[in-house]
Amino acid sequence: MKDVYILAIESSCDETSVAVIKNGCKVISNVVLSQMDTHAFYGGVVPEIASRMHIENITVVIDEALTKSGLKMEDIDAIAVTYGPGLLGSLLIGLQAAKTLSYIYNKPLVPVHHIAGHIYANNLEAPLVFPLIALVVSGGHTELVYMKEDYNFEVIGSTLDDAVGEAYDKVARVINLEYPGGPKVDQLAHKGMDTYNLPLPLDDDTYNFSFSGLKSAVINLKHNEEQRGNDLNIENLATSFQNRVVEILTKKTMKALKEYNVKNLIIAGGVSANKGIRDKFNELCIKNNINLTIPKLEYCTDNAAMIGAAGYYAYKIGKRADLDLNAKAVDKLN
Ligand code: KG4
Ligand code: ZN
C-alpha cells in the first residue's frame, strides 16, 4: 500500500506546532514552538498574545517542519488541522495556514478534534488496540472515552467544571508557583505526606468529574491556616491534593474498564505527564491485567504529531473539510 504523509498543524492554545507524519504512526518531523515563557510572566495564557505569537511564528514553523522532514509539499497527501476546541484566536491562525496550503497545493483538508489528537498520540507508541478506554486529562479537558474501533469516539464522562490540569494550575497559583504549575505540584507531591484532609471530588456512580470543589478546599485551607497563624506545608498540601486527584481518576477509570469489559487503557493529554498518575495506573493495570499505554512525555502536551496521527485515520475514513471550515472554541468529540 502507498505510504500516506500528513502535514499537521496545531495552534489551539499556546504552542505553535507543525509535523509530518507517515501512515499515522511514524513521526518524520515535529516542530513545537512553545510560548510558555511569555505567558508565565502573566500567570496564565493570555489569548490575545497567544494568537499574535502564532501569527508571527506559523510560517517559520511550517518551513522548519517541512525542511526537517526532507519532503516537499508535492509529497504530502493531506493537510490535517486542529479546528477546535481551544482558544478561538489561536485556532484561527493554524486553520488559516492549513486552508492556504490546502488551496495552493490542492491537497485535501482534514479537520481534527484536539482531543482525538491527544488520544492518537498513543498511536505513535504502538497501534491502538480495540475496544479501549481513553482517559484524557489536560489543561482544558478531563474525559473518559470508549472506542470500539478507529475514529469512533463515545464520551462516557467528562468534567462538570474545571479540567484537572486547570485545577493543578490554580492550586499551584495559590501556593505561589509559576504557570504552568502542574508539573511543579507533581514534583512537590513526591516530597510530602498526605496530611491534609481534602475531599474526594464527585465520588459518585457516574463517569463525570468535578475538580472545582477540591480546588476551593485548597484555597479555604490556605486562608484558614493563615488566619490561625500556621505555616502551610506546601509539600504535604501537594501530596494531599495529588492523592485525591489520582484516587478519583483511577477509581472511575478502573470502574469503566470493568463495566465496559475492556482490557486496553490509554491515557492522554498534558496531565498524563504526571508521575503520580502514571505510577498509580501502572500499578493498577498490572494488578488487573490491563494493557496500558501512555505517550512519551513530548507527545503528552500539545503537539502537531498527535494531530497528524489522528489526521491519518480521519483521512482514511474520508473526513474532509472545505475552505469554509471554521474554528470552534467548544465542540463535542465525535
Ligand atoms: O494537553 P496540554 O498541553 O494542553 C491542553 O490541551 O490543555 O495540557 C497542559 C496542562 C497544564 O494544565 C499543565 O499544568 C498540565 O497539563 N501538566 C501537568 C503536568 N505536566 C503538565 N499537570 C500535572 N502534573 C504534571 N506533571
Ligand atoms: Zn491539549
Side-chain angles (χ1 to χ4, degrees):
M1 216 178 76
K2 183 191 166 296
D3 290 327
V4 174
Y5 292 93
I6 305 274
L7 184 135
I9 300 182
E10 155 66 37
S11 70
S12 66
C13 191
D14 59 341
E15 270 93 23
T16 318
S17 182
V18 179
V20 176
I21 302 298
K22 181 179 166 185
N23 299 335
C25 59
K26 191 167 184 337
V27 182
I28 308 296
S29 67
N30 180 44
V31 180
V32 183
L33 203 152
S34 174
Q35 309 171 359
M36 203 182 279
D37 293 347
T38 306
H39 297 291
F41 178 76
Y42 301 95
V45 177
V46 184
E48 183 66 21
I49 295 177
S51 50
R52 218 175 298 161
M53 289 183 79
H54 284 306
I55 294 176
E56 287 166 13
N57 298 328
I58 188 77
T59 49
V60 182
V61 178
I62 292 172
D63 261 353
E64 195 181 327
L66 208 55
T67 306
K68 281 190 170 159
S69 76
L71 299 174
K72 299 192 190 62
M73 275 311 290
E74 289 69 31
D75 305 318
I76 300 294
D77 294 280
I79 316 287
V81 64
T82 310
Y83 69 91
L87 300 172
L88 218 42
S90 291
L91 287 163
L92 283 169
I93 312 307
L95 197 56
Q96 199 56 40
K99 286 186 197 176
T100 308
L101 290 175
S102 158
Y103 179 68
I104 294 176
Y105 293 98
N106 196 23
K107 306 284 178 190
L109 183 64
V110 180
V112 176
H113 191 285
H114 184 74
I115 296 299
H118 274 304
I119 290 174
Y120 273 89
N122 284 281
N123 205 64
L124 302 170
E125 301 302 313
L128 301 185
V129 182
F130 301 101
L132 64 77
I133 294 281
L135 171 68
V136 183
V137 277
S138 76
H141 305 272
T142 310
E143 253 147 297
L144 269 171
V145 183
Y146 171 74
M147 290 176 75
K148 64 171 192 276
E149 60 191 358
D150 263 316
Y151 234 78
N152 185 317
F153 309 102
E154 185 191 335
V155 178
I156 60 171
S158 47
T159 180
L160 304 178
D161 40 58
D162 290 1
V164 62
E166 195 181 345
Y168 262 95
D169 294 338
K170 286 178 180 166
V171 163
R173 203 196 289 206
V174 171
I175 52 177
N176 300 320
L177 300 174
E178 210 180 61
Y179 174 84
K184 296 174 189 92
V185 173
D186 186 17
Q187 279 168 14
L188 285 175
H190 293 277
K191 296 181 185 155
M193 289 185 302
D194 190 343
T195 55
Y196 290 109
N197 188 17
L198 296 173
L200 189 61
L202 199 65
D203 184 18
D204 65 3
D205 281 342
T206 72
Y207 294 118
N208 291 327
F209 300 96
S210 162
F211 292 100
S212 73
L214 179 58
K215 174 197 70 187
S216 303
V218 171
I219 295 170
N220 291 340
L221 177 77
K222 186 183 182 225
H223 289 159
N224 290 342
E225 292 295 88
E226 272 172 3
Q227 273 175 357
R228 289 193 192 114
N230 296 339
D231 282 337
L232 199 65
N233 182 319
I234 60 166
E235 291 173 352
N236 289 354
L237 178 64
T239 310
S240 308
F241 169 74
Q242 179 143 306
N243 281 2
R244 293 300 90 69
V245 170
V246 171
E247 199 176 333
I248 199 65
L249 289 178
T250 49
K251 189 172 180 182
K252 294 209 168 181
T253 307
M254 298 315 283
K255 177 170 131 84
L257 286 161
K258 201 165 168 211
E259 288 188 4
Y260 280 74
N261 195 20
V262 168
K263 287 284 173 199
N264 304 295
L265 170 65
I266 63 177
I267 309 185
V271 185
S272 58
N274 185 279
K275 192 170 176 312
I277 292 175
R278 286 179 171 242
D279 288 352
K280 191 67 192 172
F281 271 109
N282 263 319
E283 179 197 319
L284 287 171
C285 287
I286 290 172
K287 208 159 119 194
N288 292 283
N289 213 10
I290 303 287
N291 305 312
L292 172 67
T293 320
I294 311 178
K296 276 198 199 75
L297 287 181
E298 62 181 306
Y299 300 128
C300 283
T301 44
D302 289 351
N303 65 87
M306 67 186 198
I307 302 302
Y312 168 77
Y313 292 92
Y315 173 76
K316 270 209 335 192
I317 61 165
K319 273 201 183 258
R320 302 287 184 271
D322 294 327
L323 294 178
D324 62 0
L325 173 67
N326 209 348
K328 286 190 176 168
V330 181
D331 191 42
K332 211 170 156 271
L333 173 65
N334 55 28

